[in-house]
Amino acid sequence: MDCAAMRGKFTQPIMLLMLKDALAAAMLIATVFSARPSQETQPAWAIKFEECLVADVFKGKPAAPTFSSSKLKNYRTVISEAARKGPNFAGHYTVAEWGCGSGCVSMGIGDAAGGRVWGGPVTTLSLPLAADVNGRNYQGLVYHKRSRLLIVDGCPNEENRRCGTYYYEFKDGLSTLLRMDLAPGKPR
């Protein structure tokens, strides 16, 4: 028997074995992932985004950022890149986030319509890498395009004794604290 004849004779069984092995591997992976509990569940927020809805969302070309402080100018690249993408918060604002170390985030808020940039309600927000003593994982900055509600979930200004969830309404460049729920106990 020559090679061409042999190839035709063994191709189908090999293909069936490969398909059978791939199917078994896929079933094993599906079983492993379906058995894992989901760790990315959203907390039940005390104030809902729907409670602070905006009337409309800016749809024009975003304005170039103009900085209200020299500190924010140090982050002009990340803020400008975020601004070019358009609003992601409160109808016509863009939240820009950047890292400030392991488990830490800083932010700026820019107006897509006018270009002005403000700092956020906190300078930095640390997110403990491990869950706190109650098994709670912090979510960081949480916001929506159609809501003025900004949720700051973590340790503001890296103060571990003040970890918790802070609810702010952002309007006309001002962040107004609506509620704070301090975490009982300290993060690990």
Side-chain angles (χ1 to χ4, degrees), residues 82 86-89 93-97 107-110 141 143 150:
N88 60 10
F89 172 57
Y93 296 101
T94 302
V95 174
E97 298 181 44
M107 69 181 298
I109 302 172
L141 301 171
Y143 47 89
L150 172 65

Short mmCIF file of all heavy atoms in Angstrom, two decimals, residues 82 86-89 93-97 107-110 141 143 150:
data_model
loop_
_atom_site.label_atom_id
_atom_site.label_comp_id
_atom_site.label_asym_id
_atom_site.label_seq_id
_atom_site.Cartn_x
_atom_site.Cartn_y
_atom_site.Cartn_z
N ALA A 82 -8.96 59.84 27.48
CA ALA A 82 -10.31 59.52 27.94
C ALA A 82 -11.32 60.50 27.35
O ALA A 82 -12.41 60.11 26.91
CB ALA A 82 -10.37 59.54 29.46
N GLY A 86 -15.28 60.50 24.56
CA GLY A 86 -16.60 61.05 24.82
C GLY A 86 -17.10 60.74 26.21
O GLY A 86 -16.44 60.07 27.00
N PRO A 87 -18.29 61.24 26.54
CA PRO A 87 -18.81 61.10 27.90
C PRO A 87 -19.08 59.65 28.30
O PRO A 87 -19.52 58.84 27.49
CB PRO A 87 -20.10 61.91 27.89
CG PRO A 87 -20.45 62.11 26.48
CD PRO A 87 -19.21 61.95 25.66
N ASN A 88 -18.78 59.36 29.57
CA ASN A 88 -19.09 58.05 30.15
C ASN A 88 -19.79 58.20 31.51
O ASN A 88 -19.98 57.24 32.22
CB ASN A 88 -17.83 57.19 30.29
CG ASN A 88 -16.77 57.80 31.18
OD1 ASN A 88 -17.00 58.80 31.88
ND2 ASN A 88 -15.58 57.22 31.17
N PHE A 89 -20.14 59.47 31.83
CA PHE A 89 -20.69 59.74 33.15
C PHE A 89 -21.58 60.98 33.11
O PHE A 89 -21.24 61.99 32.47
CB PHE A 89 -19.52 59.95 34.13
CG PHE A 89 -19.88 60.44 35.50
CD1 PHE A 89 -20.77 59.75 36.29
CD2 PHE A 89 -19.33 61.60 36.00
CE1 PHE A 89 -21.09 60.19 37.57
CE2 PHE A 89 -19.63 62.06 37.27
CZ PHE A 89 -20.52 61.35 38.05
N TYR A 93 -20.08 64.25 30.95
CA TYR A 93 -18.78 64.22 31.61
C TYR A 93 -18.04 62.93 31.26
O TYR A 93 -18.64 61.92 30.93
CB TYR A 93 -18.94 64.31 33.13
CG TYR A 93 -19.53 65.61 33.58
CD1 TYR A 93 -20.88 65.70 33.92
CD2 TYR A 93 -18.75 66.77 33.65
CE1 TYR A 93 -21.43 66.90 34.33
CE2 TYR A 93 -19.30 67.97 34.05
CZ TYR A 93 -20.65 68.03 34.39
OH TYR A 93 -21.19 69.23 34.78
N THR A 94 -16.72 63.01 31.37
CA THR A 94 -15.87 61.84 31.16
C THR A 94 -15.02 61.64 32.41
O THR A 94 -14.29 62.54 32.81
CB THR A 94 -14.96 62.03 29.95
OG1 THR A 94 -15.76 62.28 28.79
CG2 THR A 94 -14.10 60.80 29.71
N VAL A 95 -15.13 60.46 32.99
CA VAL A 95 -14.27 60.10 34.12
C VAL A 95 -13.02 59.46 33.53
O VAL A 95 -13.10 58.51 32.76
CB VAL A 95 -14.96 59.11 35.08
CG1 VAL A 95 -14.00 58.64 36.16
CG2 VAL A 95 -16.19 59.75 35.71
N ALA A 96 -11.87 60.01 33.88
CA ALA A 96 -10.58 59.44 33.51
C ALA A 96 -9.97 58.83 34.76
O ALA A 96 -9.96 59.47 35.81
CB ALA A 96 -9.65 60.51 32.94
N GLU A 97 -9.51 57.60 34.66
CA GLU A 97 -8.92 56.91 35.80
C GLU A 97 -7.48 56.51 35.46
O GLU A 97 -7.20 56.15 34.32
CB GLU A 97 -9.69 55.63 36.11
CG GLU A 97 -11.13 55.84 36.51
CD GLU A 97 -11.83 54.52 36.82
OE1 GLU A 97 -11.24 53.67 37.52
OE2 GLU A 97 -12.97 54.35 36.37
N MET A 107 -8.33 59.93 39.78
CA MET A 107 -9.31 60.26 38.77
C MET A 107 -9.36 61.75 38.47
O MET A 107 -8.92 62.58 39.27
CB MET A 107 -10.70 59.81 39.22
CG MET A 107 -11.23 60.62 40.40
SD MET A 107 -12.85 60.13 41.02
CE MET A 107 -13.90 60.41 39.64
N GLY A 108 -9.91 62.06 37.32
CA GLY A 108 -10.26 63.42 36.94
C GLY A 108 -11.59 63.34 36.22
O GLY A 108 -11.94 62.29 35.64
N ILE A 109 -12.36 64.41 36.23
CA ILE A 109 -13.66 64.43 35.56
C ILE A 109 -13.66 65.61 34.60
O ILE A 109 -13.48 66.75 35.01
CB ILE A 109 -14.82 64.57 36.57
CG1 ILE A 109 -14.79 63.42 37.58
CG2 ILE A 109 -16.17 64.62 35.85
CD1 ILE A 109 -15.77 63.55 38.72
N GLY A 110 -13.85 65.30 33.32
CA GLY A 110 -13.84 66.34 32.30
C GLY A 110 -15.21 66.55 31.69
O GLY A 110 -15.99 65.61 31.56
N LEU A 141 -14.26 52.84 41.55
CA LEU A 141 -15.14 53.91 41.07
C LEU A 141 -16.22 53.29 40.20
O LEU A 141 -15.92 52.54 39.26
CB LEU A 141 -14.34 54.92 40.25
CG LEU A 141 -13.18 55.60 40.98
CD1 LEU A 141 -12.33 56.40 40.01
CD2 LEU A 141 -13.70 56.47 42.11
N TYR A 143 -19.77 54.23 38.01
CA TYR A 143 -20.56 55.33 37.46
C TYR A 143 -21.20 54.87 36.15
O TYR A 143 -20.83 53.84 35.60
CB TYR A 143 -19.67 56.56 37.22
CG TYR A 143 -18.37 56.23 36.52
CD1 TYR A 143 -18.27 56.22 35.13
CD2 TYR A 143 -17.25 55.91 37.25
CE1 TYR A 143 -17.09 55.89 34.50
CE2 TYR A 143 -16.05 55.59 36.63
CZ TYR A 143 -15.99 55.58 35.25
OH TYR A 143 -14.81 55.26 34.63
N LEU A 150 -22.06 59.00 41.48
CA LEU A 150 -20.70 58.45 41.45
C LEU A 150 -20.51 57.69 42.75
O LEU A 150 -20.62 58.26 43.84
CB LEU A 150 -19.66 59.57 41.34
CG LEU A 150 -18.20 59.14 41.48
CD1 LEU A 150 -17.78 58.24 40.33
CD2 LEU A 150 -17.31 60.38 41.55
#
